């Protein structure tokens, strides 16, 4: 079959080769290609060719190898009730693989045309301590970058190396645009990057703190990992082979704090002064529900989020989590109807065209729980409000990270703290009264307050006891609304 490329797909409305590199993006995974690259593609289509994207992978060459023979074009398969429609995205001008030549990436970030460096490197990619949002100075990649500042490994290391070079060359700093689901993502990344710079050179740390902009963002689009079935279906539908298409939903949302001293594309996003209420609503409702469903659903044998939503009891648990425990903690963003927002979320979760695996969402729980569930829990505890559903979400994570499922089969737990969590859970055994306090003692996740909070500890221990003795399904069944 013919491969997608510029010559086999001549219908793009702009010539990517004519675009300038206005953006360098670190972490060109599926989410970036379905979200920011799609928004940027729309800008390029208007004829504003200042904003081509140079993508960089910080680890594997896979994306570059798949897209290079396709002139960096790829297909976005957009799924909704009407089925799937296809769109070819041309916004990527090129792809670098950082470990192959770190200096080349730093140099690319120093081109005068580059006004923005955006990032989707996942929560763990910032090498921070999730409970406090500060740089984990003992992180092996940070230790490496302190020893080799010119040839970094971590995302913060690349940002600091390029900002240092630009400063030395008299170039303005680029704007750093974090597009990961971190709480207060702009401020968190600013804190991490300035601290790393400060450890290298105090003056550089001050310069970044004073002159670099770190606008905060709320990003939203559900983008499951691409499968071979997706590749085959999309090739059959479009008539062109694409080694790395991306499947996503029709829904997309992007709220951005409008702070771009070097200018920005005219993205069809919502630009605001304060993104906090948008971010908290999204992290607590969407991502909080996602993670709770991922752990409970995985343990109950559900492969995807759509499968979880087919399970009436689990769907009811999710509604009750959102309605009875999360909503009250939110400051509703201006112009938002929270009921409509939640109804839309449930529809999005049900989308059968998205095979979003519970295992995928379950990944990196130690980095996700604080902003998805623990912040909500702190607010509820402060208000003296009950937390049965939230505590069950946390307990399901605990049951999951023991690494053995309800049938005694191993779970492939992926998490930067996996070894520590496994050691703690192995020594506690499958006994809630020992396992819950053991895991709650991990301050990098739970901070210094939650592990010693009697109400929280009791609620989590009780939920975990039920998960261990009765199983996931029987436990969330107790959340079924009474007829
Ligand atoms: C998901 C998110 O993988 C996960 O942890 O919860 O990637 C989620 O799909 C996005 O944040 C939706 O915007």
């Amino acid at each position: 079959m013919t491969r997608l490329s510029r010559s086999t797909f001549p219908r793009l409305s702009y010539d990517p080769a004519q675009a300038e590199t206005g953006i360098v993006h670190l972490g060109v995974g599926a989410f970036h290609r379905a979200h920011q690259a799609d928004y940027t593609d729309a800008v390029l289509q208007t004829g504003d060719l200042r904003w081509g994207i140079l993508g960089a992978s910080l680890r594997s060459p896979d994306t570059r190898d798949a897209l290079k023979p396709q002139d960096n074009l790829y297909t976005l398969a957009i799924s909704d009730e009407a089925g799937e429609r296809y769109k070819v995205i041309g916004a990527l001008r090129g792809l670098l693989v950082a470990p192959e030549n770190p200096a080349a990436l730093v140099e690319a970030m120093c081109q005068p045309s580059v006004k923005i460096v955006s990032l989707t490197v996942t929560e763990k990619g910032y090498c921070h301590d999730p409970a406090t949002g500060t740089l984990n100075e003992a992180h092996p990649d940070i230790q490496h970058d302190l020893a080799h500042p010119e040839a970094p490994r971590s995302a913060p290391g690349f940002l600091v190396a390029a900002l240092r070079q630009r400063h030395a060359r008299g170039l303005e700093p680029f704007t750093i645009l974090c597009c990961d689901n971190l709480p207060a993502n702009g401020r968190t990344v600013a804190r991490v990057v300035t601290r790393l710079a400060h450890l290298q050179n105090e003056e550089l740390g001050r310069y970044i703190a004073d002159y670099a902009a770190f606008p905060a963002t709320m990003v939203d689009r559900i983008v499951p990992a691409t499968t071979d079935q997706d590749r085959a279906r999309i090739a059959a539908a479009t008539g062109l082979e694409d080694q790395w298409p991306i499947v996503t939903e029709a829904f997309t949302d992007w709220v951005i704090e409008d702070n771009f001293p070097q200018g920005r594309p005219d993205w069809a996003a919502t630009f605001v002064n304060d993104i906090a209420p948008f971010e908290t609503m999204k992290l607590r409702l969407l991502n909080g529900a996602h993670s709770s469903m991922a752990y409970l659903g995985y343990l109950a044998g559900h492969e995807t989020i759509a499968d979880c939503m087919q399970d009436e009891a689990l769907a009811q648990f999710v509604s009750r989590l959102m309605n009875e425990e999360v909503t009250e903690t939110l400051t509703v963003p201006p112009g938002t109807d929270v009921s409509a927002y939640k109804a839309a979320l449930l529809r999005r979760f049900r989308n059968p065209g998205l095979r979003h695996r519970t295992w995928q969402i379950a990944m990196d729980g130690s980095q996700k729980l604080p902003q998805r569930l623990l912040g909500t829990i702190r607010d509820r505890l402060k208000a003296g409000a009950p937390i049965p559903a939230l505590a069950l979400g946390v307990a399901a994570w605990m049951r999951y990270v023991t690494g053995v499922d309800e049938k005694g089969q191993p779970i492939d737990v992926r998490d930067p703290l996996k070894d520590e969590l496994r050691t703690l859970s192995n020594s506690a055994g499958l006994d809630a009264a020992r396992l819950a306090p053991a895991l709650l003692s991990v301050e990098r996740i739970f901070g210094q307050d939650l592990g010693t909070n009697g109400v929280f500890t009791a609620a989590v221990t009780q939920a975990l006891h039920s998960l261990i003795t009765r199983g996931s399904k029987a436990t969330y069944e107790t959340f079924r609304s009474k007829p």
Side-chain angles (χ1 to χ4, degrees):
M1 183 180 265
T2 311
R3 183 90 176 252
L4 171 66
S5 72
R6 292 290 309 285
S7 59
T8 61
F9 188 87
R11 299 200 303 278
L12 273 187
S13 66
Y14 60 94
D15 179 357
Q18 299 296 315
E20 279 183 80
T21 300
I23 301 171
V24 171
H25 185 83
L26 308 184
V28 267
F31 183 71
H32 169 69
R33 287 194 277 144
H35 191 272
Q36 305 98 59
D38 187 22
Y39 282 84
T40 305
D41 184 75
V43 172
L44 295 167
Q45 282 183 37
T46 67
D48 183 355
L49 295 181
R50 290 172 298 166
W51 304 106
I53 302 172
L54 175 67
S57 300
L58 296 191
R59 301 201 192 305
S60 120
D62 297 358
T63 305
R64 190 264 324 267
D65 294 349
L67 297 192
K68 199 169 177 197
Q70 305 180 181
D71 302 318
N72 303 312
L73 299 184
Y74 61 92
T75 315
L76 203 56
I78 302 167
S79 158
D80 63 14
E81 294 86 4
E84 206 170 50
R85 61 195 165 83
Y86 307 95
K87 181 170 168 185
V88 170
I89 304 287
L92 287 178
R93 300 207 56 228
L95 284 162
L96 298 179
V97 180
E100 289 178 359
N101 188 347
L105 173 54
V106 174
E107 191 54 40
M109 294 162 81
C110 290
Q111 297 169 78
S113 64
V114 173
K115 308 295 182 204
I116 295 171
V117 173
S118 51
L119 302 96
T120 48
V121 293
T122 79
E123 294 85 347
K124 64 177 176 287
Y126 297 91
C127 308
H128 71 306
D129 179 344
T132 59
T134 54
L135 182 70
N136 173 5
E137 294 172 24
H139 193 293
D141 289 352
I142 296 302
Q143 287 293 316
H144 171 275
D145 293 356
L146 285 169
H148 309 278
E150 317 298 326
R153 233 179 231 165
S154 72
F158 276 103
L159 293 170
V160 172
L163 288 166
R164 184 196 320 105
Q165 275 297 328
R166 288 181 79 109
H167 185 33
R169 294 181 198 179
L171 291 169
E172 296 291 339
F174 41 70
T175 297
I176 295 111
L177 189 66
C178 170
C179 298
D180 280 296
N181 289 315
L182 300 178
N185 61 5
R187 242 182 309 132
T188 303
V189 177
R191 190 183 308 115
V192 163
V193 169
T194 350
R195 178 67 190 159
L196 179 60
H198 175 93
L199 291 174
Q200 292 181 14
N201 173 323
E202 286 184 22
E203 197 256 313
L204 179 66
R206 265 195 306 277
Y207 167 76
I208 294 178
D210 291 347
Y211 293 104
F214 293 83
T217 63
M218 185 284 284
V219 290
D220 191 7
R221 195 167 208 184
I222 294 176
V223 191
T226 305
T227 64
D228 284 340
Q229 280 165 328
D230 297 328
R231 288 185 176 87
R233 184 185 69 253
I234 293 165
T238 61
L240 289 171
E241 179 198 348
D242 180 344
Q243 271 303 310
W244 211 324
I246 308 287
V247 180
T248 189
E249 58 180 341
F251 180 95
T252 181
D253 198 9
W254 199 5
V255 182
I256 310 176
E257 186 189 346
D258 204 357
N259 177 18
F260 293 80
Q262 310 306 321
R264 60 161 170 84
D266 190 13
W267 286 310
T270 307
F271 291 94
V272 299
N273 290 325
D274 178 16
I275 79 137
F278 296 93
E279 173 200 278
T280 310
M281 178 174 77
K282 191 259 171 175
L283 291 175
R284 291 187 178 186
L285 284 174
L286 190 159
N287 298 108
H290 246 181
S291 288
S292 306
M293 242 188 303
Y295 299 117
L296 288 167
Y298 183 95
L299 293 169
H302 296 316
E303 196 187 341
T304 68
I305 290 294
D307 295 342
C308 292
M309 293 299 293
Q310 291 284 326
D311 177 340
E312 196 42 44
L314 188 48
Q316 284 197 18
F317 164 82
V318 169
S319 292
R320 291 186 65 178
L321 171 82
M322 298 202 290
N323 295 334
E324 295 172 19
E325 299 186 33
V326 181
T327 307
E328 265 174 19
T329 72
L330 304 174
T331 304
V332 177
T336 307
D337 172 347
V338 197
S339 302
Y341 181 86
K342 288 187 284 190
L345 274 185
L346 296 175
R347 273 198 306 279
R348 294 170 64 197
F349 292 157
R350 285 206 171 90
N351 187 338
L354 300 177
R355 294 196 51 76
H356 203 186
R357 293 178 68 197
T358 48
W359 176 81
Q360 186 187 348
I361 299 168
M363 237 180 260
D364 295 340
S366 67
Q367 315 292 304
K368 294 173 174 175
L369 289 191
Q371 57 274 25
R372 296 180 177 209
L373 296 174
L374 305 182
T376 319
I377 288 173
R378 284 194 176 89
D379 287 352
R380 304 272 304 165
L381 292 173
K382 221 180 289 161
I387 50 166
L390 291 158
L392 180 55
V394 175
W397 167 78
M398 292 179 164
R399 179 65 189 81
Y400 182 89
V401 298
T402 63
V404 178
D405 74 12
E406 294 183 356
K407 296 200 176 88
Q409 297 303 310
I411 302 176
D412 179 7
V413 177
R414 304 278 175 98
D415 194 294
L417 300 190
K418 167 178 138 195
D419 295 337
E420 180 181 347
L421 298 171
R422 181 65 72 88
T423 308
L424 287 168
S425 77
N426 281 351
S427 61
L430 266 188
D431 169 4
R434 287 163 52 95
L435 182 55
L439 292 172
L440 290 175
S441 74
V442 184
E443 288 184 6
R444 265 193 276 171
I445 306 173
F446 295 99
Q448 295 181 339
D449 55 337
L450 285 180
T452 54
N453 182 301
V455 176
F456 177 61
T457 313
V460 171
T461 307
Q462 193 193 4
L464 184 58
H465 181 71
S466 176
L467 289 174
I468 291 171
T469 55
R470 307 163 67 196
S472 176
K473 214 171 169 50
T475 303
Y476 60 70
E477 281 282 350
T478 62
F479 282 81
R480 252 188 208 283
S481 318
K482 309 279 172 295

